[in-house]
Amino acid sequence: MLLRCFVPCCPIFEIPNFPLMASHFSISYDPSSSTSLLSLHTQQTIFRSSDKVNEFERTQLRIPALFRGKAANLQTMASGNTPGLTQEANNCTYEAIVYGENNTDVFYDMKQRFLAFKKLKYMDNLEHFKKLADAQAPKFLVIACADSRVCPSAVLGFQPGEAFTVRNIANLVPSYESGPTETKAALQFSVNTLEVENILVIGHSRCGGIQALMSMEGEGDSRSFIHDWVIVGKKAKESTKAVASNLHFDHQCQHCEKTSINHSLERLLGYPWIEERVRKGSLSLHGGYYDFVNCTFEKWTVDYGSKKEGSGIAVKNQSVW
């Protein structure tokens, strides 16, 4: 259905599929007339309550700029002595215009980004996305922190289908012997079923999870979900305390942020089916550290051939971007 609105000195605009309309109609305003050409029934249909305003807002109506420029005149016409539109109609119109300009809906920007993605990426690569609808074959498993500032796809530009991603507090990998977790389930699925070729563990600067780990006394509070999880990084904390106890707490945390990545990479080799693939050369393990203060990214690769039992891991191909 179409809503066609005629406003003096304003171009006609139409709203397709307007949800509140029972039939086509036009609104015309005649200052010389003593009665409104808009029936009471139609007014009630459009402007019955504030709930209807909410429905109206959800249409995401973008009123043409020239019409918005006439908003003050329209408001005066609707609320003054001139007979015609009711005050209720005036309030609804005004709220709709304000909404259109302020975009107070927290999902508005999200919707615009999605529509831009749909138009500029999805529709332009339709065949690719049709293939993704049937199956995925990512080359990477990415284990990253849940921190809102370090989204791997945003920082490293992963596109749909390129990286199977698991995010948790402080990007930790639990040991093979510990109980089941979502991270271990992601490891099993991505390595054994999807057969990813690379696992990338990404840490980052000013990590709240690492700060919680470094602040813990002893084993921490078992009643705290956070403490109960970050204790996975206990070995990294002990290594940091052994070599950096004389440093400021912030520098200790930075040291632990990087150390914990290598400890997670070492724990990955404790999974038999991961170690087997790394040994055969079909899977590579990598570490990454994103410093969002200076916007740098450090990357390195586990050198399995130089690995010695009980002495941690050796790395190669280190670079800073």
Side-chain angles (χ1 to χ4, degrees):
M1 291 181 185
L2 298 178
L3 163 63
R4 177 169 298 174
C5 181
F6 300 89
V7 180
C9 303
C10 173
I12 297 174
F13 69 97
E14 297 181 342
I15 310 170
N17 300 320
F18 194 76
L20 305 182
M21 300 300 102
S23 60
H24 297 353
F25 66 93
S26 298
I27 304 173
S28 60
Y29 178 74
D30 182 1
S32 64
S33 172
S34 60
T35 60
S36 171
L37 296 182
L38 180 65
S39 71
L40 178 60
H41 173 72
T42 305
Q43 293 180 45
Q44 291 174 341
T45 302
I46 308 173
F47 305 116
R48 182 166 297 164
S49 66
S50 59
D51 289 338
K52 293 301 183 182
V53 176
N54 293 333
E55 291 182 27
F56 178 55
E57 291 178 342
R58 285 196 292 268
T59 64
Q60 298 293 334
L61 174 61
R62 304 299 295 157
I63 302 175
L66 182 57
F67 179 74
R68 290 199 301 268
K70 300 296 182 179
N73 292 336
L74 179 60
Q75 183 182 3
T76 301
M77 291 162 55
S79 60
N81 295 326
T82 306
L85 299 175
T86 65
Q87 184 63 43
E88 185 178 9
N90 166 66
N91 290 341
C92 179
T93 303
Y94 179 73
E95 288 181 28
I97 293 173
V98 169
Y99 172 80
E101 293 187 344
N102 293 342
N103 299 326
T104 55
D105 185 347
V106 295
F107 284 94
Y108 179 81
D109 287 342
M110 187 185 301
K111 174 185 176 182
Q112 300 310 311
R113 290 193 296 267
F114 171 75
L115 293 176
F117 160 78
K118 182 176 182 179
K119 178 180 179 180
L120 301 177
K121 289 189 175 181
Y122 186 92
M123 298 307 296
D124 285 348
N125 299 278
L126 197 55
E127 288 303 316
H128 172 66
F129 282 98
K130 284 182 178 180
K131 292 179 181 178
L132 287 181
D134 295 329
Q136 61 173 322
K139 300 297 184 182
F140 278 87
L141 163 64
V142 175
I143 302 172
C145 185
D147 193 302
S148 64
R149 300 166 290 184
V150 295
C151 175
S153 295
V155 175
L156 299 178
F158 287 114
Q159 299 301 306
E162 290 184 344
F164 190 85
T165 305
V166 57
R167 299 177 68 177
N168 61 43
I169 301 298
N171 44 273
L172 297 172
V173 175
S175 65
Y176 176 74
E177 296 78 14
S178 63
T181 67
E182 69 281 1
T183 298
K184 296 173 74 171
L187 284 171
Q188 186 175 36
F189 178 71
S190 62
V191 173
N192 292 339
T193 302
L194 298 180
E195 299 184 334
V196 296
E197 298 175 2
N198 302 275
I199 299 178
L200 172 62
V201 181
I202 305 175
H204 68 93
S205 57
R206 299 183 179 179
C207 179
I210 295 297
Q211 291 175 8
L213 172 66
M214 293 297 294
S215 301
M216 286 171 49
E217 298 292 339
E219 295 296 319
D221 184 358
S222 60
R223 296 170 299 178
S224 168
F225 293 154
I226 296 175
H227 289 173
D228 202 36
W229 168 252
V230 298
I231 197 65
V232 170
K234 178 182 177 181
K235 188 176 178 180
K237 175 183 178 179
E238 292 173 347
S239 297
T240 297
K241 290 292 186 181
V243 300
S245 59
N246 61 324
L247 299 180
H248 186 275
F249 179 75
D250 290 344
H251 293 144
Q252 290 184 35
C253 289
Q254 186 178 37
H255 185 280
C256 189
E257 286 163 358
K258 295 182 179 181
T259 301
S260 68
I261 299 169
N262 283 336
H263 281 289
S264 285
L265 291 170
E266 184 179 5
R267 279 192 292 273
L268 284 173
L269 290 172
Y271 290 73
W273 26 274
I274 291 180
E275 193 274 342
E276 180 184 4
R277 290 171 183 267
V278 172
R279 178 165 40 85
K280 291 180 177 179
S282 59
L283 177 64
S284 297
L285 307 182
H286 313 271
Y289 181 79
Y290 171 46
D291 185 339
F292 55 69
V293 177
N294 302 312
C295 196
T296 59
F297 191 90
E298 299 179 44
K299 173 266 175 190
W300 59 94
T301 299
V302 172
D303 187 356
Y304 180 81
S306 300
K307 178 182 178 293
K308 297 180 180 180
E309 291 296 330
S311 61
I313 59 171
V315 300
K316 62 182 180 181
N317 300 332
Q318 293 178 274
S319 59
V320 179
W321 306 339

